[in-house]
Amino acid sequence: MTTVAGGVPLLDVDPFSVPSLQDPHPVEDAIREAGPIVWLESHGVWATGRADLVQEIFLDQETFISSHGTGLTNTALQANWRKPSVILEQDQPQHTATRKLMNSVLSLKVVKQLKEDFQAEAFAVVDEVCARGEFDAVTDLAEAFPLRVLPDAVGLAPEGRQFLLKYANLNFQAMGPRDDALYEEAVVQAAEATEYVEWQMRRENLDQTKLAGKFFAAADEGAITEETAGLLVRTFLSAGLDTTMLGIGNALLALSRTPDAWSALRADPSLARTVFEETLRCHAPSPYIGRTVGKRTELGGAVLEPEQKIINCLSAANRDPRRWPNPEAFDITRDVRGHSAFGYGIHACVGQMMARMEAECLLTAFATRVDSLEVTAEPVRKLNHWLRGYTAMPMRVTLK
């Protein structure tokens, strides 16, 4: 490790290389422990894994802006692969109107109205899958359940849903470097998926009685444009599934490796939400989020210049020993308030209540029906620049 001006650590590590993605914690820990803020020479960006600085960056949206991209790429200086998100990649005041609308569409009241049907579907999925005794916990549970409930709730057409995960994979791969095989492979795999998303964003291809219809009703009232309504629908297509699925898969793996936590949940399925929150802290499904420096500033002993990128290492911050006692332990008795898995401030994940509700439904059903669980082979890591979880997880269960 060397230093740049002011004694700020310069790290020659690459958190987005395949070896790092296969075993991410050592690189994340190196970033966090090297100093409050570090310069990642591999990508020419700043990074921090300190919990206090991550929160500071999130809450200072005037200095650390979102409109120039929330990945490695500064989209004000380099063309992006898609139109910017009208939620994630906007600053105030433009962000305020779309955020307000999305908050109303995904309000606590709406989520509560959906929960009864979602819980019934969760039991149906768990009963169907777990009756086999052996299955893949990722494809058969963690992916199958959200794919069954969320597209219907949004109002997506029945056809084309097989493209959802390929499009989302490209969306998150594009947040990282765009000069490696992972990104290139995602582009090829998502060729048809991008066409599907353009088609599915249009009013005539959606069920107007479902969540998506509220966006176009707002357009009819003049609150937003027709194009913005479609882009809000795209938010569900690009970011509404993967983090929930990966979070559920991470929770099932953590439970299989933590007998005390599984015993507690099996005895009291109402702990499902608690289990998911500790999963988000300990195994954040979306480990990074980027910001762009909007004005010259000092942070963590470094001087940051306008248009430089800074990467918030959420997974590292969620395991920062300055904030969390025994941070590597999966402990469902700990107070997890303040974890950064869904961000903070005006750009905090707008769908977090929905994600939490979906995970709670699935884990509740699983704990209600299942007596014992065992992961029977090493899970297969998902190799995505901006996501953290698994693509396969062979599991054996016995029922109560």
Side-chain angles (χ1 to χ4, degrees):
M1 181 178 69
T2 58
T3 59
V4 294
V8 177
L10 184 153
L11 291 188
D12 187 17
V13 299
D14 184 0
F16 307 109
S17 70
V18 170
S20 294
L21 296 176
Q22 290 172 331
D23 186 19
H25 283 192
V27 175
E28 293 176 354
D29 293 349
I31 292 172
R32 184 188 62 236
E33 299 307 317
I37 186 171
V38 302
W39 180 257
L40 294 182
E41 189 173 20
S42 57
H43 298 289
V45 298
W46 298 102
T48 181
R50 299 286 177 91
D52 57 343
L53 287 192
V54 165
Q55 184 172 29
E56 181 180 342
I57 291 167
F58 274 133
L59 295 177
D60 186 358
Q61 63 269 9
E62 293 185 0
T63 302
F64 302 102
I65 62 176
S66 299
S67 58
H68 293 187
T70 56
L72 283 179
T73 302
N74 185 326
T75 56
L77 304 178
Q78 182 179 339
N80 202 5
W81 70 282
R82 56 156 174 75
K83 291 182 178 179
S85 166
V86 293
I87 287 287
L88 191 62
E89 296 166 328
Q90 275 197 342
D91 300 318
Q92 293 179 305
Q94 293 85 358
H95 174 264
T96 304
T98 50
R99 177 78 186 206
K100 182 178 180 181
L101 175 58
M102 185 65 94
N103 282 344
S104 70
V105 172
L106 293 178
S107 68
L108 180 59
K109 179 181 178 181
V110 170
V111 171
K112 284 183 175 179
Q113 290 171 341
L114 291 171
K115 186 175 182 179
E116 182 177 352
D117 288 343
F118 277 36
Q119 187 65 79
E121 287 292 340
F123 273 107
V125 170
V126 167
D127 288 342
E128 174 189 330
V129 171
C130 292
R132 294 184 236 154
E134 295 189 10
F135 51 87
D136 190 300
V138 173
T139 56
D140 296 336
L141 286 180
E143 292 181 356
F145 171 61
L147 279 172
R148 183 179 292 194
V149 294
L150 187 65
D152 286 344
V154 175
L156 304 188
E159 59 270 27
R161 293 182 182 184
Q162 69 272 19
F163 295 121
L164 286 170
L165 295 187
K166 292 180 179 179
Y167 182 81
N169 182 61
L170 172 58
N171 182 64
F172 287 103
Q173 293 287 26
M175 294 286 200
R178 301 184 191 177
D179 57 357
D180 68 356
L182 290 177
Y183 176 69
E184 292 173 359
E185 182 182 2
V187 171
V188 172
Q189 291 180 346
E192 291 182 82
T194 53
E195 296 180 13
Y196 157 74
V197 168
E198 290 294 326
W199 173 84
Q200 184 62 96
M201 288 164 54
R202 295 198 290 269
R203 180 198 295 254
E204 61 269 22
N205 300 321
L206 294 157
D207 184 342
Q208 298 294 300
T209 68
K210 301 297 181 68
L211 297 179
K214 298 181 180 182
F215 299 136
F216 290 98
D220 291 339
E221 295 169 0
I224 58 173
T225 66
E226 184 90 1
E227 180 184 32
T228 296
L231 289 171
L232 287 169
V233 172
R234 192 189 69 182
T235 301
F236 285 108
L237 308 181
S238 60
L241 287 168
D242 279 64
T243 50
T244 305
M245 293 172 173
L246 293 169
I248 293 171
N250 291 346
L252 292 172
L253 181 60
L255 289 167
S256 76
R257 292 176 171 175
T258 318
D260 288 349
W262 170 243
S263 295
L265 178 62
R266 180 185 59 192
D268 183 4
S270 70
L271 291 173
R273 172 70 176 271
T274 300
V275 168
F276 190 60
E277 289 300 327
E278 174 64 353
T279 302
L280 292 172
R281 185 206 65 82
C282 199
H283 307 288
S286 184
Y288 305 107
I289 194 72
R291 292 289 186 264
T292 305
V293 181
K295 58 185 178 182
R296 194 172 193 266
T297 190
E298 189 276 336
L299 182 75
V303 176
L304 283 60
E305 300 292 346
E307 302 303 338
Q308 290 182 328
K309 300 294 294 194
I310 182 164
I311 306 303
N312 278 330
C313 301
L314 309 183
S315 175
N318 280 349
R319 294 177 295 101
D320 185 350
R322 299 157 192 82
R323 172 64 179 82
W324 310 97
N326 194 17
E328 297 292 337
F330 184 79
D331 179 4
I332 66 171
T333 68
R334 78 167 77 236
D335 182 353
V336 296
R337 287 176 295 180
H339 73 70
S340 59
F342 286 133
Y344 300 107
I346 66 169
H347 284 96
C349 175
V350 72
Q352 59 184 284
M353 286 192 294
M354 182 75 82
R356 286 182 165 108
M357 184 268 282
E358 291 177 62
E360 183 178 355
C361 287
L362 195 282
L363 293 173
T364 297
F366 188 82
T368 301
R369 298 290 197 249
V370 173
D371 183 59
S372 69
L373 75 159
E374 176 189 2
V375 174
T376 58
E378 189 66 23
V380 179
R381 279 272 187 191
K382 183 178 183 68
L383 298 182
N384 186 289
H385 296 136
W386 227 249
L387 294 173
R388 184 72 47 75
Y390 299 87
T391 60
M393 191 184 301
M395 179 172 283
R396 180 186 299 123
V397 302
T398 60
L399 300 180
K400 292 180 177 178

